[in-house]
Amino acid sequence: MKRAPRTRAPWFCCTRDQYLDGAHDASLIDPDCWLIDQALLDRPGVDEIMLDLLYDISKQEAVFGAAKEFLREERPPALIATGANDEVFPESSVRHFLDDLPDAEFHALDTGHFALEEKGAEIGSLMRSFLDRTFPDT
């Protein structure tokens, strides 16, 4: 797909803000995270790849529908740990997984999009507890 040339947008602020927006304690988030992400995003051609990815998501209705059907029919054990303040995937949207997985264990943590950066230890504890209860003999 041919696109018109663009001037460079302030992508660094967007990348950094995805890490910090909604975080309860931004001092817990290592700045190297967004600096490394930005360095990778700044490579030649990545902007076009990202635009293609965003465009393709809108064409994946059948894939998302099949995934929802699988979850409804198979009802696999599931732990959902998300950032309550996530602007990319708001809690209200993530909570809709419970429509297809009503027995899922759901935790909305006081953080943003990169929940693991701020709440890694808490999410790790949730995972260990979930696995111990769900698969006690393994």
Side-chain angles (χ1 to χ4, degrees):
M1 168 185 303
K2 182 79 170 149
R3 296 185 178 95
R6 292 177 310 280
T7 59
R8 187 131 186 97
W11 296 114
F12 174 76
C13 293
C14 297
T15 303
R16 181 197 62 216
D17 290 351
Q18 279 193 335
Y19 278 89
L20 299 179
D21 287 350
H24 177 74
D25 183 354
S27 71
L28 297 175
I29 301 175
D30 186 344
D32 284 349
C33 296
W34 65 78
L35 293 172
I36 292 168
D37 278 0
Q38 191 60 54
L40 294 170
L41 289 167
D42 285 343
R43 292 174 300 159
V46 171
D47 56 345
E48 294 294 322
I49 293 168
M50 296 303 289
L51 288 171
D52 289 343
L53 175 67
L54 291 172
Y55 176 74
D56 285 346
I57 288 172
S58 67
K59 300 186 310 184
Q60 299 301 319
E61 189 172 325
V63 173
F64 293 130
K68 288 174 61 85
E69 183 178 335
F70 169 81
L71 295 175
R72 269 193 312 275
E73 290 178 5
E74 300 298 323
R75 293 230 172 136
L79 168 69
I80 301 168
T82 188
N85 313 319
D86 187 343
E87 293 182 1
V88 178
F89 300 107
E91 177 188 347
S92 59
S93 295
V94 177
R95 202 171 274 283
H96 282 291
F97 278 103
L98 296 174
D99 296 343
D100 299 310
L101 284 171
D103 299 326
E105 185 175 322
F106 187 90
H107 299 272
L109 308 173
D110 185 16
T111 190
H113 183 63
F114 288 97
L116 281 171
E117 299 301 327
E118 182 181 13
K119 303 285 186 178
E122 185 175 347
I123 293 170
S125 293
L126 290 170
M127 291 170 65
R128 285 180 188 266
S129 173
F130 176 79
L131 292 170
D132 287 345
R133 287 181 281 111
T134 306
F135 306 103
D137 296 329
T138 56

Short mmCIF file of all heavy atoms in Angstrom, two decimals, residues 61-93:
data_model
loop_
_atom_site.label_atom_id
_atom_site.label_comp_id
_atom_site.label_asym_id
_atom_site.label_seq_id
_atom_site.Cartn_x
_atom_site.Cartn_y
_atom_site.Cartn_z
N GLU A 61 -11.96 -9.72 12.12
CA GLU A 61 -13.20 -10.06 12.82
C GLU A 61 -13.42 -11.57 12.90
O GLU A 61 -13.83 -12.10 13.93
CB GLU A 61 -14.38 -9.39 12.12
CG GLU A 61 -15.67 -9.50 12.90
CD GLU A 61 -16.78 -8.68 12.28
OE1 GLU A 61 -16.51 -7.60 11.74
OE2 GLU A 61 -17.93 -9.15 12.35
N ALA A 62 -13.13 -12.28 11.83
CA ALA A 62 -13.33 -13.74 11.83
C ALA A 62 -12.40 -14.42 12.83
O ALA A 62 -12.81 -15.35 13.54
CB ALA A 62 -13.11 -14.31 10.43
N VAL A 63 -11.17 -13.95 12.93
CA VAL A 63 -10.21 -14.54 13.87
C VAL A 63 -10.68 -14.29 15.31
O VAL A 63 -10.68 -15.20 16.14
CB VAL A 63 -8.79 -13.95 13.65
CG1 VAL A 63 -7.84 -14.41 14.74
CG2 VAL A 63 -8.28 -14.33 12.27
N PHE A 64 -11.08 -13.06 15.60
CA PHE A 64 -11.56 -12.75 16.95
C PHE A 64 -12.83 -13.53 17.27
O PHE A 64 -13.01 -14.01 18.39
CB PHE A 64 -11.79 -11.24 17.11
CG PHE A 64 -10.53 -10.43 17.06
CD1 PHE A 64 -10.44 -9.33 16.22
CD2 PHE A 64 -9.42 -10.78 17.82
CE1 PHE A 64 -9.27 -8.58 16.16
CE2 PHE A 64 -8.25 -10.03 17.76
CZ PHE A 64 -8.17 -8.94 16.93
N GLY A 65 -13.71 -13.68 16.28
CA GLY A 65 -14.93 -14.46 16.49
C GLY A 65 -14.63 -15.92 16.80
O GLY A 65 -15.25 -16.52 17.69
N ALA A 66 -13.67 -16.49 16.09
CA ALA A 66 -13.29 -17.89 16.33
C ALA A 66 -12.66 -18.04 17.72
O ALA A 66 -12.91 -19.03 18.41
CB ALA A 66 -12.32 -18.35 15.25
N ALA A 67 -11.88 -17.07 18.13
CA ALA A 67 -11.27 -17.12 19.46
C ALA A 67 -12.35 -17.07 20.54
O ALA A 67 -12.31 -17.83 21.51
CB ALA A 67 -10.27 -15.99 19.64
N LYS A 68 -13.31 -16.18 20.38
CA LYS A 68 -14.40 -16.08 21.36
C LYS A 68 -15.21 -17.39 21.41
O LYS A 68 -15.58 -17.85 22.48
CB LYS A 68 -15.32 -14.91 21.01
CG LYS A 68 -14.70 -13.55 21.28
CD LYS A 68 -15.56 -12.42 20.78
CE LYS A 68 -16.89 -12.35 21.42
NZ LYS A 68 -17.01 -11.66 22.67
N GLU A 69 -15.45 -17.98 20.26
CA GLU A 69 -16.19 -19.25 20.21
C GLU A 69 -15.41 -20.34 20.93
O GLU A 69 -15.98 -21.13 21.70
CB GLU A 69 -16.44 -19.65 18.75
CG GLU A 69 -17.25 -20.92 18.62
CD GLU A 69 -17.52 -21.27 17.16
OE1 GLU A 69 -17.51 -20.37 16.31
OE2 GLU A 69 -17.75 -22.46 16.90
N PHE A 70 -14.10 -20.42 20.71
CA PHE A 70 -13.27 -21.38 21.40
C PHE A 70 -13.37 -21.20 22.92
O PHE A 70 -13.55 -22.17 23.66
CB PHE A 70 -11.80 -21.25 20.97
CG PHE A 70 -10.86 -22.04 21.83
CD1 PHE A 70 -10.69 -23.41 21.64
CD2 PHE A 70 -10.17 -21.43 22.86
CE1 PHE A 70 -9.85 -24.15 22.45
CE2 PHE A 70 -9.32 -22.15 23.68
CZ PHE A 70 -9.15 -23.51 23.48
N LEU A 71 -13.25 -19.97 23.39
CA LEU A 71 -13.33 -19.71 24.83
C LEU A 71 -14.67 -20.12 25.39
O LEU A 71 -14.75 -20.73 26.46
CB LEU A 71 -13.05 -18.23 25.12
CG LEU A 71 -11.64 -17.75 24.78
CD1 LEU A 71 -11.54 -16.24 25.00
CD2 LEU A 71 -10.58 -18.49 25.57
N ARG A 72 -15.76 -19.79 24.68
CA ARG A 72 -17.11 -20.15 25.15
C ARG A 72 -17.29 -21.66 25.23
O ARG A 72 -17.87 -22.17 26.18
CB ARG A 72 -18.16 -19.56 24.20
CG ARG A 72 -18.66 -18.20 24.56
CD ARG A 72 -19.91 -17.82 23.77
NE ARG A 72 -19.82 -18.07 22.34
CZ ARG A 72 -19.29 -17.23 21.45
NH1 ARG A 72 -18.80 -16.09 21.83
NH2 ARG A 72 -19.26 -17.55 20.18
N GLU A 73 -16.80 -22.37 24.21
CA GLU A 73 -17.02 -23.81 24.14
C GLU A 73 -16.07 -24.59 25.05
O GLU A 73 -16.49 -25.54 25.71
CB GLU A 73 -16.88 -24.29 22.69
CG GLU A 73 -18.01 -23.83 21.81
CD GLU A 73 -17.84 -24.27 20.36
OE1 GLU A 73 -16.87 -25.01 20.06
OE2 GLU A 73 -18.67 -23.85 19.54
N GLU A 74 -14.82 -24.24 25.06
CA GLU A 74 -13.81 -25.01 25.80
C GLU A 74 -13.66 -24.58 27.26
O GLU A 74 -13.25 -25.38 28.09
CB GLU A 74 -12.46 -24.92 25.09
CG GLU A 74 -12.47 -25.47 23.68
CD GLU A 74 -12.80 -26.95 23.64
OE1 GLU A 74 -12.38 -27.71 24.55
OE2 GLU A 74 -13.50 -27.37 22.70
N ARG A 75 -13.95 -23.34 27.55
CA ARG A 75 -13.85 -22.79 28.90
C ARG A 75 -12.55 -23.18 29.61
O ARG A 75 -12.56 -23.77 30.70
CB ARG A 75 -15.04 -23.22 29.73
CG ARG A 75 -16.35 -22.61 29.27
CD ARG A 75 -17.02 -22.04 30.46
NE ARG A 75 -18.18 -21.27 30.12
CZ ARG A 75 -19.31 -21.35 30.75
NH1 ARG A 75 -19.46 -22.19 31.74
NH2 ARG A 75 -20.30 -20.56 30.42
N PRO A 76 -11.42 -22.85 29.01
CA PRO A 76 -10.14 -23.19 29.68
C PRO A 76 -9.98 -22.37 30.95
O PRO A 76 -10.51 -21.26 31.06
CB PRO A 76 -9.10 -22.78 28.63
CG PRO A 76 -9.76 -21.70 27.84
CD PRO A 76 -11.22 -22.08 27.79
N PRO A 77 -9.26 -22.89 31.92
CA PRO A 77 -8.99 -22.09 33.11
C PRO A 77 -8.26 -20.81 32.69
O PRO A 77 -7.38 -20.86 31.82
CB PRO A 77 -8.07 -22.96 33.96
CG PRO A 77 -8.10 -24.31 33.34
CD PRO A 77 -8.60 -24.18 31.95
N ALA A 78 -8.63 -19.70 33.27
CA ALA A 78 -8.02 -18.44 32.85
C ALA A 78 -7.85 -17.49 34.02
O ALA A 78 -8.73 -17.37 34.88
CB ALA A 78 -8.88 -17.78 31.77
N LEU A 79 -6.72 -16.83 34.01
CA LEU A 79 -6.42 -15.75 34.94
C LEU A 79 -6.26 -14.50 34.09
O LEU A 79 -5.48 -14.49 33.14
CB LEU A 79 -5.12 -16.03 35.69
CG LEU A 79 -4.53 -14.86 36.48
CD1 LEU A 79 -5.42 -14.50 37.67
CD2 LEU A 79 -3.12 -15.19 36.93
N ILE A 80 -7.01 -13.47 34.41
CA ILE A 80 -6.91 -12.20 33.69
C ILE A 80 -6.43 -11.16 34.69
O ILE A 80 -7.11 -10.86 35.67
CB ILE A 80 -8.27 -11.78 33.10
CG1 ILE A 80 -8.78 -12.86 32.14
CG2 ILE A 80 -8.16 -10.43 32.41
CD1 ILE A 80 -10.23 -12.69 31.72
N ALA A 81 -5.25 -10.63 34.45
CA ALA A 81 -4.70 -9.56 35.28
C ALA A 81 -4.44 -8.38 34.36
O ALA A 81 -3.63 -8.48 33.43
CB ALA A 81 -3.41 -10.01 35.97
N THR A 82 -5.13 -7.29 34.60
CA THR A 82 -5.05 -6.14 33.70
C THR A 82 -4.88 -4.86 34.49
O THR A 82 -5.13 -4.83 35.71
CB THR A 82 -6.32 -6.07 32.82
OG1 THR A 82 -6.16 -5.08 31.82
CG2 THR A 82 -7.56 -5.79 33.65
N GLY A 83 -4.47 -3.82 33.81
CA GLY A 83 -4.37 -2.51 34.45
C GLY A 83 -5.73 -1.84 34.48
O GLY A 83 -6.34 -1.64 33.43
N ALA A 84 -6.20 -1.49 35.65
CA ALA A 84 -7.50 -0.83 35.78
C ALA A 84 -7.51 0.52 35.08
O ALA A 84 -8.57 1.00 34.68
CB ALA A 84 -7.86 -0.67 37.25
N ASN A 85 -6.34 1.12 34.92
CA ASN A 85 -6.23 2.45 34.32
C ASN A 85 -5.66 2.41 32.91
O ASN A 85 -5.17 3.42 32.41
CB ASN A 85 -5.35 3.35 35.20
CG ASN A 85 -5.73 3.25 36.66
OD1 ASN A 85 -6.89 3.22 37.01
ND2 ASN A 85 -4.73 3.19 37.52
N ASP A 86 -5.70 1.26 32.27
CA ASP A 86 -5.14 1.07 30.93
C ASP A 86 -5.99 1.82 29.91
O ASP A 86 -7.19 1.57 29.79
CB ASP A 86 -5.11 -0.42 30.60
CG ASP A 86 -4.40 -0.75 29.31
OD1 ASP A 86 -4.18 0.16 28.48
OD2 ASP A 86 -4.06 -1.93 29.12
N GLU A 87 -5.38 2.75 29.18
CA GLU A 87 -6.10 3.51 28.17
C GLU A 87 -6.16 2.77 26.83
O GLU A 87 -7.01 3.05 26.00
CB GLU A 87 -5.47 4.88 27.98
CG GLU A 87 -5.63 5.77 29.20
CD GLU A 87 -5.05 7.16 29.01
OE1 GLU A 87 -4.51 7.46 27.92
OE2 GLU A 87 -5.13 7.94 29.96
N VAL A 88 -5.25 1.81 26.61
CA VAL A 88 -5.23 1.06 25.35
C VAL A 88 -6.29 -0.03 25.38
O VAL A 88 -7.07 -0.19 24.44
CB VAL A 88 -3.83 0.46 25.09
CG1 VAL A 88 -3.83 -0.35 23.80
CG2 VAL A 88 -2.78 1.57 25.03
N PHE A 89 -6.33 -0.79 26.48
CA PHE A 89 -7.35 -1.83 26.68
C PHE A 89 -8.04 -1.52 28.01
O PHE A 89 -7.67 -2.08 29.05
CB PHE A 89 -6.72 -3.22 26.72
CG PHE A 89 -5.99 -3.59 25.46
CD1 PHE A 89 -4.61 -3.64 25.42
CD2 PHE A 89 -6.70 -3.87 24.29
CE1 PHE A 89 -3.93 -3.97 24.26
CE2 PHE A 89 -6.02 -4.19 23.12
CZ PHE A 89 -4.64 -4.24 23.10
N PRO A 90 -9.03 -0.64 27.99
CA PRO A 90 -9.69 -0.24 29.24
C PRO A 90 -10.27 -1.44 29.99
O PRO A 90 -10.70 -2.43 29.38
CB PRO A 90 -10.81 0.70 28.78
CG PRO A 90 -10.42 1.13 27.40
CD PRO A 90 -9.61 0.01 26.82
N GLU A 91 -10.29 -1.33 31.31
CA GLU A 91 -10.81 -2.41 32.14
C GLU A 91 -12.20 -2.85 31.67
O GLU A 91 -12.49 -4.04 31.61
CB GLU A 91 -10.88 -1.98 33.61
CG GLU A 91 -11.48 -3.05 34.50
CD GLU A 91 -11.74 -2.57 35.92
OE1 GLU A 91 -11.25 -1.52 36.32
OE2 GLU A 91 -12.46 -3.31 36.63
N SER A 92 -13.05 -1.90 31.33
CA SER A 92 -14.41 -2.24 30.91
C SER A 92 -14.40 -3.13 29.67
O SER A 92 -15.26 -4.02 29.53
CB SER A 92 -15.23 -0.98 30.64
OG SER A 92 -14.61 -0.19 29.64
N SER A 93 -13.43 -2.94 28.78
CA SER A 93 -13.33 -3.79 27.58
C SER A 93 -12.76 -5.15 27.93
O SER A 93 -13.25 -6.18 27.45
CB SER A 93 -12.44 -3.12 26.53
OG SER A 93 -13.03 -1.94 26.07
#
